[in-house]
Structures are given as C-alpha cells and as structure tokens.
Amino acid sequence: MTSVVYPGSFNPITNGHRDIVERALRLFDKVIVAVGTSPDKDPKTHLAERIGLCRLALAEFGDRVEVEGFNVLLVEYARAKNTRFVVRGLRTISDFDYEYQMIAMNQTMDPDLEYVLLPTSRQWSFLSSSLVREIAGLGGDISEFVPPAVAEHYRKSS
Ligand code: ADP
C-alpha cells in the first residue's frame, strides 16, 4: 500500500484542500492529512478544532484518509509514517515559488522524500483559508467554498 502525506495548516479545510485529497487518492492508496501548527498564519487557532473539521470534511473517503496533528519536521513525520511521498496543492505561480523553496530545504534534510505538486481544479484556484476566515469573520456566507461541516461550524460559532 502506498501512502502520501498531505501537510498543511488547514485553517480551515476548504473545498480546494478537499479537491487535492480527492486527486491524491487517484495516485495513492492512502492520504495522511497532517495538520500542522503554523506560527506565521494563526497560532491561536486550536489544533484540535482544525483536526476535527478535517475529519468531518473528509469522512466520505473512509479509512483511505487519515487525519493527524503534527509538530515535528515534515521529513521526520514522513519517516515515522513510513512514507516517502508528500503531496501539496498548487494554485498560482506564487504557490509554486513557495513550494519549490520548501522542497529544496527539505531535500537537504532528506533527499529520498519525493514531492507531488497537484494543480487544483480551476474553480478553487482563487480560494484560500485566510479569505474564508475573513469572510466568515465578517458574517458572510462561506458555504460555497468549504465542506458543509466547516460552514456549519462557522455558522454556529458566529
Ligand atoms: P500551509 O500553511 O502549509 O501553506 P495551507 O493549509 O494553507 O497550509 O495549505 C496546505 C496545502 O494546500 C498547500 O500545498 C496549499 O498550496 C494547498 N492549498 C491551499 N488552498 C488550496 C486550494 N484552494 N486549492 C488547492 N490547493 C490548495
């Protein structure tokens, strides 16, 4: 069985992330969604909440998707999960710049880890977690951009 790690902040998980999971499942038997802490993005958002929303949003894929928190180096995490593959989503050229830099850094730590960069569906190429948070924070409707469980969560907490 071949598995792949999909690391990210998932703050919150969006339809764009879900799309990448679905595409990765066409290439791999199992996707391990690794929800990390991202000091740059929003350190305060509760990790357990982001994990819980990912689990609800990806429940339809059953045991082909595992969701876990992680707070170690990606190369170490992948090793611990016995996989040599990492998947990331690509929206724009600026995503590519960032990913390429991250890959180069990680390659120096573990040259055997392979990276799969999957372009998102065009309809989600504009979508980001930070915009979703901003819209939700201002009381806007995010149901078009996120899985139903996430929309429900933000509705309840607003
Ligand atoms: P990070 O803080 O690691 O960038 P994110 O949760 O923002 O975490 O993103 C995780 C991964 O999902 C990244 O590879 C990012 O490019 C990708 N991603 C984010 N939004 C989308 C989207 N709308 N479509 C496709 N991929 C996306």
Side-chain angles (χ1 to χ4, degrees):
M1 193 176 80
T2 327
S3 59
V4 64
V5 174
Y6 180 22
S9 316
F10 304 100
N11 187 19
I13 183 167
T14 66
N15 288 341
H17 293 123
R18 192 198 157 284
D19 180 60
I20 297 299
V21 170
E22 195 171 17
R23 284 162 189 280
L25 284 172
R26 294 179 191 155
L27 302 172
F28 297 92
D29 299 308
K30 184 171 180 177
V31 174
I32 302 162
V33 174
V35 184
T37 43
S38 171
D40 290 349
K41 291 201 173 174
D42 188 350
K44 288 183 220 84
T45 307
H46 212 291
L47 183 63
E49 183 179 297
R50 283 184 282 135
I51 293 173
L53 288 178
C54 283
R55 289 203 176 122
L56 288 172
L58 302 170
E60 70 194 275
F61 300 115
D63 59 10
R64 291 190 69 200
V65 173
E66 180 184 329
V67 180
E68 235 182 38
F70 87 117
N71 62 356
V72 294
L73 286 173
L74 177 59
V75 292
E76 281 172 15
Y77 183 77
R79 224 174 281 144
K81 298 305 281 184
N82 273 319
T83 178
R84 285 192 307 108
F85 301 103
V86 173
V87 69
R88 296 275 291 175
L90 281 185
R91 286 160 296 185
T92 56
I93 285 290
S94 59
D95 268 356
F96 182 77
D97 269 352
Y98 175 75
E99 298 300 334
Y100 207 70
Q101 208 179 342
M102 188 196 75
I103 290 170
M105 294 292 282
N106 282 333
Q107 276 175 344
T108 62
M109 292 182 268
D110 186 346
D112 293 329
L113 208 52
E114 301 296 347
Y115 301 84
V116 179
L117 298 178
L118 291 180
T120 185
S121 302
R122 253 188 322 160
Q123 90 191 104
W124 308 125
S125 60
F126 64 91
L127 181 57
S128 70
S129 295
S130 55
L131 277 177
V132 163
R133 285 200 306 277
E134 204 171 318
I135 295 169
L138 293 168
D141 179 10
I142 54 168
S143 55
E144 214 181 301
F145 310 123
V146 296
V150 179
E152 180 65 11
H153 170 83
Y154 276 82
R155 241 191 327 267
K156 278 188 193 151
S157 56
S158 70

